[in-house]
Amino acid sequence: MEKSLSDYIALSKNIDDLKYDKKLKVAILSSFTLNGLNETLHVKCSELGIRYQSYIGGYNQYNQELLNPESGLYNFSPDITFLIIDVRNVLGDSFHDAHDMSDDERKILAKEKINELENLIQTFENNSNSKLVITNLNVPSYSPHGIIETKLNFGFHEMIEEINNSLRHISKNYSSVYVYDFRQFISKFGEQNIFDYRQFHLGDIQIIFNFIPYLANNLMNYIKPISGTNRKCIVLDLDNTLWGGIVGEDGFDGIELGDTPNGKAFVEFQKELFSLWNQGIILAINSKNNVEDAMKVISEHPNMVLREKNFANIQINWDDKAINLKKIADEINIGLNSIVFFDDDKINCERIKQEFPEVLTINLPNDPSQFSPILKELNDFHVLNRTDEDKKRGEMYAQQRERKKFEKSISNLDDFLKDLDIRVNIKRSNDYLIPRISQLTLKTNQFNLTTKRYQEEEIRNLSNDKKFTVGCAQVLDKFGDNGITGVFIIEKNTKFWLIDTFLLSCRIMGRGVENAIISQILKDAKDEGVDEVKAQFIPTPKNKPAENFLSDYGFKKEENFWIYKLNSEIKTPNHLKVETE
């Protein structure tokens, strides 16, 4: 349940931002009054452990802010900028006059407004590394043309739709620009609920205060992925969550799944989960149940949408669900703060909330028809760019389960690694790889020497700078392609190279891939006549797995740096093959 705007404003006054390590600079530009939006975003960010800093442009001053390279906006240097505009402001007097124009005149007007918006976007792109989120325009429900509005060759509504369509196409040409569907926001909550003429005439208030928190929640769709606080795993109960009833008591034929109204609701919920799985969200099971009964439904029930291959980890037993959840996180090798947990049992949910407050726990209601809407309302699974690794993640984790089984069948680790047939393909950054490289810097915490975070624009700039090398590693083995799972950024000097960033996805830790990558970096440096390679380990609460990597490989500590002299032998792991592009 969303809090009221007055609650958010009160809460915003007592936030201690200094206790948060993660920082985010947010700029808000608008063409109309948006009192309370900044305070609401502040609270929502603090709830995620983000130190929120903001820049609020003056009332309807967005043109001046965007077009002046010396403006307060650019001096603030935001990480993300929200440009919230309205149709009345964009069209000006033409908002009322356009009804009396000819079709051709409306086409000319639409083109003018599209060019103005594109000029703003282009100027912003030239002056800032920030992400820009611009709203599209609401199409008013009213038209003086009445029922013949849709009969016109290029009517008032069609003119606004043309601006929106063009804005969407323009955004596709800029990797840092996104269009927030403000029209959809109005449609969802209702124009008559959101827009009040009295408040509009009182102070150009075009979203009544009750709905500001809902707008802020939608804007968090962008803040979560840019700050790396989005989630990637859904852990599910089974009885009365994926199907109706208790399979251990009602039996295979007695559960509700597909035929009754409730059964159809469970199928709908599974379809929505399957859709997320196809987009890269990890699914897992945490259920108190008889393994044989539960797996029979998953494997054989004709109306079951999700099958065993869709789950990266399955914990079906009579253990405490908190123990199982920790086991899931450990075996998949993800943080608990990446997990959303669904269960219909209030006691189980309360247990998880108390034990693991960083897990987002969803206590499902008794009515299964509400499961899908609850899932759709979550804004924790958005990404700014969906990579191939995202799309294949479900398949990759299925392969990971096979690796785990294979590992258990071989007692000797060296034999296991040799039999995996690991290939490490080291690639240089390019336009296709930049989104994934940025994504890994934003999300990787455990095996990460410096935990520096880079947005796509920053990776692009480093890739184009001859003083830097930006690279990544694709890892393959006998079970399949793990995708791009390693990243390195090197600052190149004449006498030495400095490792700015070196990280590895938790999915492939423990296979010697990190040694393969570092050995290739050292060989490349030696080939270019460099004397030594320097690196740093900057400890955080989460990157302990990388703590001894440099010393174990042979780097020697000198003051604040770990140094590898290139007159030393460069060790190369012999259980895998390294290829370079």
Side-chain angles (χ1 to χ4, degrees), residues 94 105-118 163:
S94 297
E105 287 173 329
R106 278 192 287 268
K107 288 180 180 179
I108 293 171
L109 177 61
K111 185 64 176 175
E112 288 176 357
K113 298 305 174 183
I114 292 164
N115 289 340
E116 289 173 6
L117 291 172
E118 184 165 21
I163 296 172

Side-chain angles (χ1 to χ4, degrees), residues 140-156:
S141 58
Y142 172 78
S143 168
H145 294 131
I147 62 173
I148 64 168
E149 168 71 31
T150 57
K151 285 287 190 180
L152 301 174
N153 289 328
F154 195 77
F156 176 61

Side-chain angles (χ1 to χ4, degrees), residues 6 20 35 45 51 91 100 160 204 211 214 222 233 258 261 282 294 356 390 432 453 457 465 480 518 554 560 578:
S6 59
Y20 304 129
N35 291 342
C45 284
R51 188 187 303 179
L91 295 182
D100 298 324
I160 301 172
D204 197 10
F211 286 93
Y214 294 95
Y222 303 91
C233 179
I282 307 164
F356 304 123
D390 291 326
Y432 176 75
R453 312 302 188 185
E457 293 72 29
D465 189 335
I518 196 69
N560 294 326
V578 178

Side-chain angles (χ1 to χ4, degrees), residues 394-578:
E395 181 182 341
M396 289 176 179
Y397 274 96
Q399 294 167 356
Q400 185 74 343
R401 286 181 61 198
E402 294 302 313
R403 290 186 190 94
K404 291 287 184 183
K405 290 180 184 177
F406 181 62
E407 183 176 5
K408 290 177 181 178
S409 70
I410 298 178
S411 58
N412 184 283
L413 177 61
D414 290 336
D415 290 341
F416 166 69
L417 292 175
K418 288 177 183 177
D419 288 346
L420 271 181
D421 187 25
I422 301 171
R423 287 156 288 153
V424 180
N425 191 355
I426 296 178
K427 304 169 179 277
R428 292 291 180 261
S429 171
N430 57 43
D431 287 342
Y432 176 75
L433 294 170
I434 283 172
R436 176 59 176 169
I437 292 172
S438 169
Q439 185 183 63
L440 282 169
T441 69
L442 293 172
K443 294 290 289 184
T444 305
N445 294 307
Q446 296 183 63
F447 197 98
N448 192 334
L449 290 181
T450 58
T451 60
K452 293 183 178 181
R453 312 302 188 185
Y454 290 108
Q455 302 297 331
E456 286 181 33
E457 293 72 29
E458 294 172 306
I459 295 294
R460 186 169 284 103
N461 291 339
L462 289 171
S463 300
N464 293 328
D465 189 335
K466 293 182 179 178
K467 294 179 181 178
F468 287 85
T469 292
V470 180
C472 59
Q474 177 188 18
V475 180
L476 307 96
D477 60 34
K478 66 188 291 183
F479 292 103
D481 185 356
N482 292 274
I484 302 297
T485 45
V487 167
F488 58 89
I489 300 174
I490 310 295
E491 182 181 347
K492 300 163 71 173
N493 298 281
T494 305
K495 294 294 185 182
F496 69 90
W497 283 7
L498 175 64
I499 298 176
D500 172 273
T501 295
F502 189 94
L503 62 85
L504 200 68
S505 169
C506 56
R507 283 193 287 117
I508 56 165
M509 285 166 51
R511 301 184 207 169
V513 173
E514 60 274 27
N515 291 337
I517 299 172
I518 196 69
S519 68
Q520 190 61 49
I521 292 171
L522 296 175
K523 288 176 183 176
D524 290 344
K526 191 171 187 177
D527 289 344
E528 292 197 19
V530 175
D531 296 333
E532 60 188 26
V533 173
K534 296 183 178 181
Q536 284 183 298
F537 173 72
I538 303 174
T540 72
K542 295 182 179 180
N543 70 348
K544 193 164 183 65
E547 182 178 22
N548 298 318
F549 168 64
L550 294 170
S551 58
D552 287 348
Y553 191 83
F555 282 74
K556 304 298 181 185
K557 188 74 178 288
E558 295 184 17
E559 296 181 349
N560 294 326
F561 292 93
W562 290 89
I563 296 176
Y564 196 98
K565 304 286 187 181
L566 291 173
N567 55 8
S568 305
E569 179 186 1
I570 298 173
K571 299 181 293 183
T572 302
N574 57 17
H575 67 275
L576 48 74
K577 181 179 180 182
V578 178

Side-chain angles (χ1 to χ4, degrees), residues 13 22 42 99 125 128-129 136 141 156 176 185 210 246 255 263 271 284 295 326 348 387-388 397 412 555 578:
K13 296 176 181 178
K22 194 182 292 286
H42 192 177
H99 308 90
E125 181 86 359
S128 176
N129 285 325
N136 63 11
S141 58
F156 176 61
S176 61
F185 175 75
N210 292 347
I246 301 173
I255 62 171
K271 286 180 178 178
M295 291 307 298
K326 184 66 168 66
N348 284 327
T387 66
D388 281 349
Y397 274 96
N412 184 283
F555 282 74
V578 178

Side-chain angles (χ1 to χ4, degrees), residues 233-498:
C233 179
I234 298 175
V235 178
L236 299 143
D237 180 37
L238 293 177
D239 292 331
N240 292 313
T241 299
L242 288 188
W243 56 70
I246 301 173
V247 67
E249 296 177 3
D250 301 321
F252 182 91
D253 296 321
I255 62 171
E256 287 189 288
L257 189 60
D259 297 322
T260 64
N262 278 351
K264 292 176 182 177
F266 288 109
V267 170
E268 178 75 12
F269 183 48
Q270 287 198 35
K271 286 180 178 178
E272 297 295 344
L273 290 165
F274 182 74
S275 178
L276 287 174
W277 181 82
N278 271 326
Q279 298 301 309
I281 300 303
I282 307 164
L283 302 180
I285 292 172
N286 184 359
S287 173
K288 288 188 177 183
N289 229 313
N290 296 319
V291 176
E292 295 79 8
D293 294 336
M295 291 307 298
K296 181 176 175 64
V297 176
I298 293 170
S299 302
E300 300 178 20
H301 200 287
N303 294 325
M304 191 76 188
V305 177
L306 299 171
R307 300 296 187 184
E308 184 176 356
K309 69 176 184 179
N310 301 122
F311 298 103
N313 194 279
I314 297 175
Q315 298 295 328
I316 301 174
N317 50 49
W318 297 100
D319 295 341
D320 177 19
K321 286 201 172 184
I323 294 174
N324 280 343
L325 195 64
K326 184 66 168 66
K327 193 179 296 184
I328 289 169
D330 290 343
E331 292 186 6
I332 298 178
N333 212 346
I334 60 173
L336 287 161
N337 60 354
S338 294
I339 292 175
V340 179
F341 176 60
F342 283 86
D343 200 319
D344 68 296
D345 189 298
K346 291 181 173 60
I347 295 176
N348 284 327
C349 288
E350 192 60 32
R351 169 80 177 111
I352 298 302
K353 286 178 183 177
Q354 290 182 359
E355 186 73 18
F356 304 123
E358 62 269 49
V359 172
L360 176 59
T361 300
I362 309 296
N363 188 187
L364 294 169
N366 293 328
D367 182 1
S369 70
Q370 297 306 303
F371 291 7
S372 288
I374 289 170
L375 179 63
K376 290 179 178 180
E377 281 298 310
L378 294 176
N379 63 354
D380 294 271
F381 306 121
H382 294 286
V383 292
L384 294 174
N385 194 313
R386 200 170 301 283
T387 66
D388 281 349
E389 281 72 20
D390 291 326
K391 296 173 185 176
K392 297 175 183 175
R393 187 175 287 122
E395 181 182 341
M396 289 176 179
Y397 274 96
Q399 294 167 356
Q400 185 74 343
R401 286 181 61 198
E402 294 302 313
R403 290 186 190 94
K404 291 287 184 183
K405 290 180 184 177
F406 181 62
E407 183 176 5
K408 290 177 181 178
S409 70
I410 298 178
S411 58
N412 184 283
L413 177 61
D414 290 336
D415 290 341
F416 166 69
L417 292 175
K418 288 177 183 177
D419 288 346
L420 271 181
D421 187 25
I422 301 171
R423 287 156 288 153
V424 180
N425 191 355
I426 296 178
K427 304 169 179 277
R428 292 291 180 261
S429 171
N430 57 43
D431 287 342
Y432 176 75
L433 294 170
I434 283 172
R436 176 59 176 169
I437 292 172
S438 169
Q439 185 183 63
L440 282 169
T441 69
L442 293 172
K443 294 290 289 184
T444 305
N445 294 307
Q446 296 183 63
F447 197 98
N448 192 334
L449 290 181
T450 58
T451 60
K452 293 183 178 181
R453 312 302 188 185
Y454 290 108
Q455 302 297 331
E456 286 181 33
E457 293 72 29
E458 294 172 306
I459 295 294
R460 186 169 284 103
N461 291 339
L462 289 171
S463 300
N464 293 328
D465 189 335
K466 293 182 179 178
K467 294 179 181 178
F468 287 85
T469 292
V470 180
C472 59
Q474 177 188 18
V475 180
L476 307 96
D477 60 34
K478 66 188 291 183
F479 292 103
D481 185 356
N482 292 274
I484 302 297
T485 45
V487 167
F488 58 89
I489 300 174
I490 310 295
E491 182 181 347
K492 300 163 71 173
N493 298 281
T494 305
K495 294 294 185 182
F496 69 90
W497 283 7
L498 175 64

